[in-house]
């Protein structure tokens, strides 16, 4: 199938990825609903969102200027020509790793919820994972790792398109099953958004498929919301009868609530040391530590129960905890890290880079994230995926050298001609 030429929107997405990912929920969801419903806090939504979008844009625009300058230099007369390199990854082996990680993710998620982990009832009861759940919990987020590996395996020729689609359907179905058991839909929404973003960046699925999937999610959301409420009521969880499926998407109302309290609140949320402890040390090695939920702390601050959670959405929650300067720094750093994973044209052929990108999109840059918890989750998933990185490094690399390395070696080893007339 002939590759589709990138549209203007896709070219802008690839040029300004962090800016686009941060801005997307504001353009698609927050601001339209705020304007439609005449939300009096719309200026605050624009202000806090503008901090994050502006920080990311400044970094990415500066980088774009540097890239443009380098391209002009390469086009100058006498500039050395660039050469392409062959992949250093063995496609079939990456495909094996992708399948294995997908199976581990599916089995772990189903086993975790079957044993009572992360259900809404357990959250209400304040239950901390223990026993075998502590051994399973590091692998619960491997669905994002599997997602990246499947796209990478397809790009490298390890699996064909329909095999990729079948495995993606299996991962999405697992997330849907987990949502059905836990009565929590946010995680599935984040997974679908991450899948769409990775598919757009890698251009490995037709745009029509992605847009069709987005439209399908929008159509089925009211039904899904009704099913969720019915299941919650069956489990003894109170549900607000006057909140419709559309009302549940009024995230703009959640954002503006932060404006009432101003920036800079220390509620006991994890500091940098605690975030590193929770992120880098698995619970089975540190079983005595309490559960961490910044959303619960915010809910208590607002006068709610300690077992329920509240978020002002990612940017406004960061502003509520740490203020303007930290918000700017956070999203500038995100932009720098994501730019470090470029170039986008071959990121799908670099499994490790695509894994990191996918974890960032599904974690710190997710639409419904609650910092600093999402940073902890990103670290936890990265640490748990170390065996995957090692297998990729030691087994899934191709024995072939890059073409430029082979050519360079041949040129260095070739005998040099002796000039005529020399002694």
């Amino acid at each position: 199938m002939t590759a589709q030429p990138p549209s203007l929107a896709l070219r802008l997405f690839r040029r300004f990825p962090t800016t686009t990912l941060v801005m997307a929920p504001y353009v698609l969801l927050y601001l339209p609903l705020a304007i439609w419903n005449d939300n009096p806090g719309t200026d605050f939504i624009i202000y806090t969102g503008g901090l994050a979008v502006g920080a990311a844009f400044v970094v990415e625009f500066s980088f774009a200027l540097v890239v443009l300058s380098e391209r002009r230099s390469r086009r100058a007369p006498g500039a050395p020509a660039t050469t392409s390199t062959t992949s250093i990854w063995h496609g079939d082996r990456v495909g094996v790793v992708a399948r294995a990680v997908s199976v581990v993710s599916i089995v772990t998620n189903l086993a975790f919820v079957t044993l009572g982990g992360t259900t809404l009832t357990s959250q209400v009861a304040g239950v901390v994972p223990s026993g075998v759940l502590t051994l399973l919990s590091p692998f619960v987020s491997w669905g994002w790792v599997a997602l990246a590996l499947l796209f990478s395996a397809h790009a490298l020729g390890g699996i064909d398109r329909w095999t990729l689609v079948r495995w993606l359907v299996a991962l999405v179905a697992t997330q849907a099953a987990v949502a059905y058991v836990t009565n929590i839909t946010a995680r599935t929404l984040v997974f679908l958004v991450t899948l769409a973003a990775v598919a757009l960046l890698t251009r490995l699925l037709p745009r029509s498929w992605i847009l069709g999937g987005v439209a399908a999610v929008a159509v089925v959301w009211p039904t899904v919301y009704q099913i969720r409420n019915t299941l919650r009521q069956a489990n003894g969880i109170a549900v607000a009868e006057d909140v419709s499926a559309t009302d549940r998407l009024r995230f703009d109302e959640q954002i503006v609530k932060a404006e009432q309290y101003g920036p800079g609140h220390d509620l006991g949320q994890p500091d940098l040391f605690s975030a590193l402890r929770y992120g880098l040390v698995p619970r089975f090695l540190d079983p005595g530590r309490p559960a961490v939920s910044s959303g619960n702390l915010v809910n208590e601050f607002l006068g709610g129960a300690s077992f329920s959670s509240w978020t002002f959405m990612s940017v406004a929650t960061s502003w509520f905890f740490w203020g303007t300067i930290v918000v700017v720094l956070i999203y500038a750093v995100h932009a720098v890290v994501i730019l470090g994973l470029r170039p986008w044209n071959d990121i799908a052929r670099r499994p490790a880079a695509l894994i990191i990108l996918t974890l960032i999109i599904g974690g710190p840059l997710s639409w419904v994230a609650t910092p600093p918890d999402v940073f902890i989750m990103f670290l936890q998933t990265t640490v748990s995926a170390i065996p995957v990185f090692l297998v990729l490094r030691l087994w899934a690399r191709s024995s072939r050298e890059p073409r430029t390395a082979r050519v360079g070696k041949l040129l260095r080893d070739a005998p040099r001609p002796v000039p005529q007339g020399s002694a």
Side-chain angles (χ1 to χ4, degrees), residues 316-359:
T317 302
S318 298
W319 179 85
F320 172 81
F321 279 145
W322 303 299
T324 299
I325 299 300
V326 174
V327 170
V328 172
L329 289 175
I330 286 174
Y331 288 93
V333 169
H334 286 334
V336 170
V337 172
I338 289 181
L339 286 175
L341 300 174
R342 286 171 57 94
W344 303 127
N345 288 336
D346 72 343
I347 192 169
R349 300 173 66 82
R350 294 180 285 128
L354 189 58
I355 289 173
I356 296 299
L357 177 64
T358 304
L359 293 181

mmCIF file of all heavy atoms in Angstrom, residues 316-359:
data_model
loop_
_atom_site.group_PDB
_atom_site.id
_atom_site.type_symbol
_atom_site.label_atom_id
_atom_site.label_comp_id
_atom_site.label_asym_id
_atom_site.label_seq_id
_atom_site.Cartn_x
_atom_site.Cartn_y
_atom_site.Cartn_z
ATOM 1 N N ALA A 316 -3.577 22.481 35.161
ATOM 2 C CA ALA A 316 -4.090 23.266 36.291
ATOM 3 C C ALA A 316 -3.737 22.628 37.631
ATOM 4 O O ALA A 316 -3.533 23.343 38.622
ATOM 5 C CB ALA A 316 -5.604 23.438 36.171
ATOM 6 N N THR A 317 -3.642 21.290 37.679
ATOM 7 C CA THR A 317 -3.222 20.637 38.925
ATOM 8 C C THR A 317 -1.775 20.976 39.236
ATOM 9 O O THR A 317 -1.417 21.229 40.393
ATOM 10 C CB THR A 317 -3.405 19.118 38.825
ATOM 11 O OG1 THR A 317 -4.775 18.817 38.533
ATOM 12 C CG2 THR A 317 -3.023 18.438 40.135
ATOM 13 N N SER A 318 -0.917 20.984 38.208
ATOM 14 C CA SER A 318 0.475 21.393 38.405
ATOM 15 C C SER A 318 0.541 22.835 38.902
ATOM 16 O O SER A 318 1.322 23.161 39.797
ATOM 17 C CB SER A 318 1.264 21.242 37.093
ATOM 18 O OG SER A 318 1.294 19.900 36.661
ATOM 19 N N TRP A 319 -0.267 23.703 38.321
ATOM 20 C CA TRP A 319 -0.319 25.107 38.752
ATOM 21 C C TRP A 319 -0.802 25.208 40.193
ATOM 22 O O TRP A 319 -0.263 25.979 40.983
ATOM 23 C CB TRP A 319 -1.249 25.873 37.813
ATOM 24 C CG TRP A 319 -1.427 27.317 38.139
ATOM 25 C CD1 TRP A 319 -0.621 28.355 37.759
ATOM 26 C CD2 TRP A 319 -2.486 27.904 38.910
ATOM 27 N NE1 TRP A 319 -1.114 29.548 38.238
ATOM 28 C CE2 TRP A 319 -2.263 29.300 38.958
ATOM 29 C CE3 TRP A 319 -3.600 27.384 39.565
ATOM 30 C CZ2 TRP A 319 -3.109 30.176 39.632
ATOM 31 C CZ3 TRP A 319 -4.446 28.241 40.236
ATOM 32 C CH2 TRP A 319 -4.199 29.626 40.269
ATOM 33 N N PHE A 320 -1.809 24.434 40.558
ATOM 34 C CA PHE A 320 -2.353 24.444 41.916
ATOM 35 C C PHE A 320 -1.292 24.004 42.925
ATOM 36 O O PHE A 320 -1.174 24.586 44.011
ATOM 37 C CB PHE A 320 -3.569 23.509 41.962
ATOM 38 C CG PHE A 320 -4.119 23.265 43.337
ATOM 39 C CD1 PHE A 320 -4.958 24.186 43.944
ATOM 40 C CD2 PHE A 320 -3.791 22.110 44.037
ATOM 41 C CE1 PHE A 320 -5.473 23.957 45.220
ATOM 42 C CE2 PHE A 320 -4.299 21.869 45.309
ATOM 43 C CZ PHE A 320 -5.137 22.797 45.902
ATOM 44 N N PHE A 321 -0.502 22.986 42.583
ATOM 45 C CA PHE A 321 0.520 22.489 43.503
ATOM 46 C C PHE A 321 1.751 23.392 43.557
ATOM 47 O O PHE A 321 2.274 23.664 44.646
ATOM 48 C CB PHE A 321 0.963 21.081 43.092
ATOM 49 C CG PHE A 321 0.042 19.980 43.538
ATOM 50 C CD1 PHE A 321 -0.155 18.870 42.746
ATOM 51 C CD2 PHE A 321 -0.616 20.050 44.755
ATOM 52 C CE1 PHE A 321 -0.995 17.839 43.159
ATOM 53 C CE2 PHE A 321 -1.459 19.031 45.175
ATOM 54 C CZ PHE A 321 -1.652 17.923 44.376
ATOM 55 N N TRP A 322 2.245 23.850 42.409
ATOM 56 C CA TRP A 322 3.582 24.454 42.368
ATOM 57 C C TRP A 322 3.657 25.851 41.773
ATOM 58 O O TRP A 322 4.704 26.493 41.842
ATOM 59 C CB TRP A 322 4.526 23.530 41.596
ATOM 60 C CG TRP A 322 4.593 22.153 42.179
ATOM 61 C CD1 TRP A 322 5.009 21.809 43.444
ATOM 62 C CD2 TRP A 322 4.219 20.937 41.541
ATOM 63 N NE1 TRP A 322 4.921 20.462 43.619
ATOM 64 C CE2 TRP A 322 4.430 19.889 42.467
ATOM 65 C CE3 TRP A 322 3.731 20.611 40.281
ATOM 66 C CZ2 TRP A 322 4.174 18.557 42.173
ATOM 67 C CZ3 TRP A 322 3.465 19.292 39.984
ATOM 68 C CH2 TRP A 322 3.686 18.286 40.920
ATOM 69 N N GLY A 323 2.632 26.336 41.118
ATOM 70 C CA GLY A 323 2.653 27.691 40.608
ATOM 71 C C GLY A 323 3.110 27.802 39.163
ATOM 72 O O GLY A 323 3.458 26.820 38.505
ATOM 73 N N THR A 324 3.153 29.040 38.683
ATOM 74 C CA THR A 324 3.379 29.332 37.268
ATOM 75 C C THR A 324 4.744 28.885 36.770
ATOM 76 O O THR A 324 4.860 28.237 35.726
ATOM 77 C CB THR A 324 3.223 30.849 37.027
ATOM 78 O OG1 THR A 324 1.892 31.239 37.367
ATOM 79 C CG2 THR A 324 3.507 31.204 35.582
ATOM 80 N N ILE A 325 5.800 29.232 37.498
ATOM 81 C CA ILE A 325 7.156 28.951 37.021
ATOM 82 C C ILE A 325 7.369 27.458 36.836
ATOM 83 O O ILE A 325 7.958 27.019 35.832
ATOM 84 C CB ILE A 325 8.204 29.524 38.008
ATOM 85 C CG1 ILE A 325 8.042 31.047 38.129
ATOM 86 C CG2 ILE A 325 9.611 29.172 37.535
ATOM 87 C CD1 ILE A 325 8.210 31.787 36.822
ATOM 88 N N VAL A 326 6.890 26.663 37.773
ATOM 89 C CA VAL A 326 7.087 25.210 37.678
ATOM 90 C C VAL A 326 6.310 24.638 36.502
ATOM 91 O O VAL A 326 6.797 23.730 35.810
ATOM 92 C CB VAL A 326 6.685 24.522 38.997
ATOM 93 C CG1 VAL A 326 6.759 23.009 38.857
ATOM 94 C CG2 VAL A 326 7.597 24.985 40.124
ATOM 95 N N VAL A 327 5.117 25.152 36.237
ATOM 96 C CA VAL A 327 4.360 24.684 35.071
ATOM 97 C C VAL A 327 5.156 24.918 33.796
ATOM 98 O O VAL A 327 5.269 24.035 32.936
ATOM 99 C CB VAL A 327 2.990 25.393 34.986
ATOM 100 C CG1 VAL A 327 2.314 25.096 33.642
ATOM 101 C CG2 VAL A 327 2.092 24.948 36.123
ATOM 102 N N VAL A 328 5.720 26.116 33.657
ATOM 103 C CA VAL A 328 6.526 26.430 32.474
ATOM 104 C C VAL A 328 7.721 25.486 32.375
ATOM 105 O O VAL A 328 8.020 24.945 31.297
ATOM 106 C CB VAL A 328 6.991 27.899 32.524
ATOM 107 C CG1 VAL A 328 7.988 28.183 31.404
ATOM 108 C CG2 VAL A 328 5.793 28.833 32.415
ATOM 109 N N LEU A 329 8.408 25.257 33.490
ATOM 110 C CA LEU A 329 9.575 24.365 33.481
ATOM 111 C C LEU A 329 9.188 22.936 33.127
ATOM 112 O O LEU A 329 9.878 22.262 32.350
ATOM 113 C CB LEU A 329 10.265 24.400 34.848
ATOM 114 C CG LEU A 329 11.003 25.692 35.196
ATOM 115 C CD1 LEU A 329 11.533 25.625 36.627
ATOM 116 C CD2 LEU A 329 12.150 25.944 34.220
ATOM 117 N N ILE A 330 8.083 22.449 33.695
ATOM 118 C CA ILE A 330 7.656 21.072 33.448
ATOM 119 C C ILE A 330 7.448 20.820 31.963
ATOM 120 O O ILE A 330 7.965 19.844 31.398
ATOM 121 C CB ILE A 330 6.364 20.754 34.238
ATOM 122 C CG1 ILE A 330 6.672 20.594 35.733
ATOM 123 C CG2 ILE A 330 5.703 19.478 33.706
ATOM 124 C CD1 ILE A 330 5.423 20.418 36.587
ATOM 125 N N TYR A 331 6.711 21.701 31.322
ATOM 126 C CA TYR A 331 6.373 21.443 29.920
ATOM 127 C C TYR A 331 7.514 21.802 28.970
ATOM 128 O O TYR A 331 7.594 21.237 27.869
ATOM 129 C CB TYR A 331 5.066 22.149 29.568
ATOM 130 C CG TYR A 331 3.905 21.437 30.223
ATOM 131 C CD1 TYR A 331 3.421 21.838 31.471
ATOM 132 C CD2 TYR A 331 3.342 20.309 29.643
ATOM 133 C CE1 TYR A 331 2.400 21.150 32.102
ATOM 134 C CE2 TYR A 331 2.321 19.617 30.265
ATOM 135 C CZ TYR A 331 1.854 20.035 31.496
ATOM 136 O OH TYR A 331 0.852 19.340 32.116
ATOM 137 N N ALA A 332 8.396 22.673 29.389
ATOM 138 C CA ALA A 332 9.606 22.899 28.600
ATOM 139 C C ALA A 332 10.496 21.657 28.632
ATOM 140 O O ALA A 332 11.057 21.246 27.607
ATOM 141 C CB ALA A 332 10.362 24.112 29.135
ATOM 142 N N VAL A 333 10.601 21.037 29.810
ATOM 143 C CA VAL A 333 11.397 19.809 29.935
ATOM 144 C C VAL A 333 10.775 18.685 29.113
ATOM 145 O O VAL A 333 11.483 17.923 28.436
ATOM 146 C CB VAL A 333 11.526 19.395 31.421
ATOM 147 C CG1 VAL A 333 12.116 17.994 31.539
ATOM 148 C CG2 VAL A 333 12.397 20.397 32.169
ATOM 149 N N HIS A 334 9.445 18.562 29.158
ATOM 150 C CA HIS A 334 8.783 17.549 28.330
ATOM 151 C C HIS A 334 9.144 17.738 26.862
ATOM 152 O O HIS A 334 9.438 16.762 26.156
ATOM 153 C CB HIS A 334 7.257 17.642 28.484
ATOM 154 C CG HIS A 334 6.742 17.117 29.786
ATOM 155 N ND1 HIS A 334 7.400 16.173 30.529
ATOM 156 C CD2 HIS A 334 5.608 17.395 30.477
ATOM 157 C CE1 HIS A 334 6.710 15.895 31.613
ATOM 158 N NE2 HIS A 334 5.618 16.631 31.610
ATOM 159 N N ALA A 335 9.116 18.975 26.407
ATOM 160 C CA ALA A 335 9.431 19.247 25.000
ATOM 161 C C ALA A 335 10.867 18.861 24.672
ATOM 162 O O ALA A 335 11.142 18.283 23.614
ATOM 163 C CB ALA A 335 9.187 20.726 24.691
ATOM 164 N N VAL A 336 11.794 19.185 25.566
ATOM 165 C CA VAL A 336 13.204 18.840 25.341
ATOM 166 C C VAL A 336 13.387 17.333 25.257
ATOM 167 O O VAL A 336 14.076 16.810 24.377
ATOM 168 C CB VAL A 336 14.083 19.436 26.460
ATOM 169 C CG1 VAL A 336 15.507 18.888 26.368
ATOM 170 C CG2 VAL A 336 14.107 20.959 26.380
ATOM 171 N N VAL A 337 12.761 16.599 26.177
ATOM 172 C CA VAL A 337 12.895 15.141 26.198
ATOM 173 C C VAL A 337 12.329 14.525 24.923
ATOM 174 O O VAL A 337 12.953 13.661 24.299
ATOM 175 C CB VAL A 337 12.198 14.545 27.439
ATOM 176 C CG1 VAL A 337 12.168 13.021 27.369
ATOM 177 C CG2 VAL A 337 12.906 14.994 28.714
ATOM 178 N N ILE A 338 11.149 14.963 24.516
ATOM 179 C CA ILE A 338 10.535 14.393 23.318
ATOM 180 C C ILE A 338 11.333 14.744 22.068
ATOM 181 O O ILE A 338 11.503 13.910 21.170
ATOM 182 C CB ILE A 338 9.071 14.864 23.204
ATOM 183 C CG1 ILE A 338 8.233 14.191 24.290
ATOM 184 C CG2 ILE A 338 8.501 14.566 21.826
ATOM 185 C CD1 ILE A 338 6.770 14.557 24.261
ATOM 186 N N LEU A 339 11.857 15.968 21.993
ATOM 187 C CA LEU A 339 12.703 16.322 20.846
ATOM 188 C C LEU A 339 13.960 15.458 20.799
ATOM 189 O O LEU A 339 14.497 15.190 19.722
ATOM 190 C CB LEU A 339 13.090 17.802 20.915
ATOM 191 C CG LEU A 339 11.984 18.807 20.577
ATOM 192 C CD1 LEU A 339 12.471 20.221 20.814
ATOM 193 C CD2 LEU A 339 11.503 18.632 19.138
ATOM 194 N N GLY A 340 14.424 15.020 21.965
ATOM 195 C CA GLY A 340 15.595 14.144 22.004
ATOM 196 C C GLY A 340 15.351 12.779 21.399
ATOM 197 O O GLY A 340 16.307 12.035 21.141
ATOM 198 N N LEU A 341 14.082 12.431 21.167
ATOM 199 C CA LEU A 341 13.747 11.137 20.564
ATOM 200 C C LEU A 341 13.654 11.207 19.049
ATOM 201 O O LEU A 341 13.438 10.187 18.399
ATOM 202 C CB LEU A 341 12.411 10.637 21.129
ATOM 203 C CG LEU A 341 12.363 10.430 22.646
ATOM 204 C CD1 LEU A 341 10.944 10.089 23.081
ATOM 205 C CD2 LEU A 341 13.329 9.331 23.079
ATOM 206 N N ARG A 342 13.770 12.391 18.466
ATOM 207 C CA ARG A 342 13.729 12.533 17.018
ATOM 208 C C ARG A 342 14.896 11.775 16.378
ATOM 209 O O ARG A 342 15.844 11.413 17.051
ATOM 210 C CB ARG A 342 13.806 14.029 16.652
ATOM 211 C CG ARG A 342 12.509 14.779 16.935
ATOM 212 C CD ARG A 342 12.737 16.264 16.756
ATOM 213 N NE ARG A 342 13.236 16.580 15.425
ATOM 214 C CZ ARG A 342 12.462 16.935 14.414
ATOM 215 N NH1 ARG A 342 11.171 17.045 14.575
ATOM 216 N NH2 ARG A 342 12.975 17.202 13.234
ATOM 217 N N PRO A 343 14.854 11.549 15.047
ATOM 218 C CA PRO A 343 13.875 12.005 14.062
ATOM 219 C C PRO A 343 12.631 11.127 14.022
ATOM 220 O O PRO A 343 12.693 9.935 14.310
ATOM 221 C CB PRO A 343 14.641 11.923 12.738
ATOM 222 C CG PRO A 343 15.614 10.801 12.960
ATOM 223 C CD PRO A 343 16.011 10.889 14.405
ATOM 224 N N TRP A 344 11.484 11.741 13.657
ATOM 225 C CA TRP A 344 10.221 11.009 13.636
ATOM 226 C C TRP A 344 10.148 10.047 12.471
ATOM 227 O O TRP A 344 9.423 9.051 12.545
ATOM 228 C CB TRP A 344 9.049 11.988 13.553
ATOM 229 C CG TRP A 344 9.021 12.983 14.657
ATOM 230 C CD1 TRP A 344 8.952 14.337 14.550
ATOM 231 C CD2 TRP A 344 9.072 12.719 16.077
ATOM 232 N NE1 TRP A 344 8.962 14.929 15.781
ATOM 233 C CE2 TRP A 344 9.031 13.959 16.740
ATOM 234 C CE3 TRP A 344 9.148 11.551 16.836
ATOM 235 C CZ2 TRP A 344 9.063 14.068 18.129
ATOM 236 C CZ3 TRP A 344 9.186 11.656 18.216
ATOM 237 C CH2 TRP A 344 9.146 12.905 18.847
ATOM 238 N N ASN A 345 10.865 10.316 11.383
ATOM 239 C CA ASN A 345 10.748 9.464 10.202
ATOM 240 C C ASN A 345 11.138 8.021 10.485
ATOM 241 O O ASN A 345 10.654 7.108 9.820
ATOM 242 C CB ASN A 345 11.618 10.013 9.060
ATOM 243 C CG ASN A 345 11.026 11.281 8.466
ATOM 244 O OD1 ASN A 345 9.822 11.511 8.556
ATOM 245 N ND2 ASN A 345 11.874 12.112 7.878
ATOM 246 N N ASP A 346 12.026 7.799 11.451
ATOM 247 C CA ASP A 346 12.444 6.421 11.717
ATOM 248 C C ASP A 346 12.249 6.015 13.178
ATOM 249 O O ASP A 346 12.795 5.005 13.612
ATOM 250 C CB ASP A 346 13.909 6.222 11.314
ATOM 251 C CG ASP A 346 14.874 6.913 12.260
ATOM 252 O OD1 ASP A 346 14.441 7.803 13.020
ATOM 253 O OD2 ASP A 346 16.066 6.544 12.248
ATOM 254 N N ILE A 347 11.450 6.781 13.941
ATOM 255 C CA ILE A 347 11.297 6.425 15.347
ATOM 256 C C ILE A 347 10.616 5.069 15.512
ATOM 257 O O ILE A 347 10.893 4.337 16.465
ATOM 258 C CB ILE A 347 10.522 7.509 16.115
ATOM 259 C CG1 ILE A 347 10.631 7.254 17.625
ATOM 260 C CG2 ILE A 347 9.064 7.591 15.662
ATOM 261 C CD1 ILE A 347 10.137 8.372 18.493
ATOM 262 N N ALA A 348 9.745 4.711 14.569
ATOM 263 C CA ALA A 348 9.096 3.396 14.661
ATOM 264 C C ALA A 348 10.095 2.265 14.454
ATOM 265 O O ALA A 348 9.836 1.127 14.846
ATOM 266 C CB ALA A 348 7.974 3.293 13.632
ATOM 267 N N ARG A 349 11.240 2.574 13.836
ATOM 268 C CA ARG A 349 12.281 1.560 13.630
ATOM 269 C C ARG A 349 13.311 1.574 14.764
ATOM 270 O O ARG A 349 14.351 0.932 14.673
ATOM 271 C CB ARG A 349 12.965 1.810 12.281
ATOM 272 C CG ARG A 349 11.997 1.740 11.098
ATOM 273 C CD ARG A 349 12.660 2.147 9.802
ATOM 274 N NE ARG A 349 13.712 1.207 9.409
ATOM 275 C CZ ARG A 349 13.502 0.068 8.774
ATOM 276 N NH1 ARG A 349 12.267 -0.294 8.456
ATOM 277 N NH2 ARG A 349 14.495 -0.718 8.444
ATOM 278 N N ARG A 350 13.011 2.335 15.811
ATOM 279 C CA ARG A 350 13.854 2.367 17.011
ATOM 280 C C ARG A 350 12.968 2.023 18.215
ATOM 281 O O ARG A 350 12.384 2.911 18.839
ATOM 282 C CB ARG A 350 14.500 3.741 17.174
ATOM 283 C CG ARG A 350 15.504 4.074 16.068
ATOM 284 C CD ARG A 350 16.125 5.455 16.257
ATOM 285 N NE ARG A 350 15.189 6.508 15.911
ATOM 286 C CZ ARG A 350 14.898 7.534 16.704
ATOM 287 N NH1 ARG A 350 15.425 7.609 17.927
ATOM 288 N NH2 ARG A 350 14.058 8.459 16.321
ATOM 289 N N PRO A 351 12.848 0.748 18.552
ATOM 290 C CA PRO A 351 11.869 0.318 19.565
ATOM 291 C C PRO A 351 12.021 1.010 20.907
ATOM 292 O O PRO A 351 11.023 1.408 21.514
ATOM 293 C CB PRO A 351 12.128 -1.193 19.687
ATOM 294 C CG PRO A 351 12.804 -1.576 18.413
ATOM 295 C CD PRO A 351 13.582 -0.388 17.970
ATOM 296 N N ALA A 352 13.247 1.153 21.386
ATOM 297 C CA ALA A 352 13.441 1.755 22.707
ATOM 298 C C ALA A 352 12.950 3.201 22.732
ATOM 299 O O ALA A 352 12.276 3.629 23.686
ATOM 300 C CB ALA A 352 14.917 1.688 23.104
ATOM 301 N N ALA A 353 13.262 3.963 21.685
ATOM 302 C CA ALA A 353 12.822 5.358 21.620
ATOM 303 C C ALA A 353 11.303 5.440 21.547
ATOM 304 O O ALA A 353 10.684 6.300 22.193
ATOM 305 C CB ALA A 353 13.442 6.054 20.405
ATOM 306 N N LEU A 354 10.678 4.539 20.790
ATOM 307 C CA LEU A 354 9.220 4.578 20.662
ATOM 308 C C LEU A 354 8.550 4.185 21.983
ATOM 309 O O LEU A 354 7.485 4.715 22.322
ATOM 310 C CB LEU A 354 8.759 3.645 19.541
ATOM 311 C CG LEU A 354 7.281 3.752 19.168
ATOM 312 C CD1 LEU A 354 6.928 5.168 18.750
ATOM 313 C CD2 LEU A 354 6.928 2.770 18.048
ATOM 314 N N ILE A 355 9.155 3.281 22.740
ATOM 315 C CA ILE A 355 8.607 2.933 24.052
ATOM 316 C C ILE A 355 8.588 4.153 24.965
ATOM 317 O O ILE A 355 7.577 4.459 25.616
ATOM 318 C CB ILE A 355 9.418 1.788 24.695
ATOM 319 C CG1 ILE A 355 9.163 0.473 23.958
ATOM 320 C CG2 ILE A 355 9.050 1.632 26.177
ATOM 321 C CD1 ILE A 355 10.060 -0.670 24.438
ATOM 322 N N ILE A 356 9.710 4.869 25.032
ATOM 323 C CA ILE A 356 9.788 6.044 25.894
ATOM 324 C C ILE A 356 8.767 7.093 25.461
ATOM 325 O O ILE A 356 8.055 7.689 26.295
ATOM 326 C CB ILE A 356 11.211 6.647 25.865
ATOM 327 C CG1 ILE A 356 12.226 5.646 26.439
ATOM 328 C CG2 ILE A 356 11.251 7.953 26.648
ATOM 329 C CD1 ILE A 356 11.968 5.273 27.883
ATOM 330 N N LEU A 357 8.659 7.327 24.157
ATOM 331 C CA LEU A 357 7.691 8.303 23.662
ATOM 332 C C LEU A 357 6.263 7.899 24.045
ATOM 333 O O LEU A 357 5.467 8.732 24.497
ATOM 334 C CB LEU A 357 7.805 8.430 22.144
ATOM 335 C CG LEU A 357 6.792 9.364 21.474
ATOM 336 C CD1 LEU A 357 6.995 10.803 21.934
ATOM 337 C CD2 LEU A 357 6.878 9.263 19.954
ATOM 338 N N THR A 358 5.941 6.628 23.889
ATOM 339 C CA THR A 358 4.597 6.146 24.205
ATOM 340 C C THR A 358 4.295 6.298 25.691
ATOM 341 O O THR A 358 3.183 6.696 26.075
ATOM 342 C CB THR A 358 4.454 4.677 23.784
ATOM 343 O OG1 THR A 358 4.756 4.542 22.394
ATOM 344 C CG2 THR A 358 3.040 4.174 24.028
ATOM 345 N N LEU A 359 5.272 6.009 26.536
ATOM 346 C CA LEU A 359 5.062 6.145 27.979
ATOM 347 C C LEU A 359 4.871 7.609 28.380
ATOM 348 O O LEU A 359 4.109 7.908 29.306
ATOM 349 C CB LEU A 359 6.245 5.543 28.742
ATOM 350 C CG LEU A 359 6.418 4.025 28.635
ATOM 351 C CD1 LEU A 359 7.616 3.563 29.462
ATOM 352 C CD2 LEU A 359 5.159 3.296 29.080
#
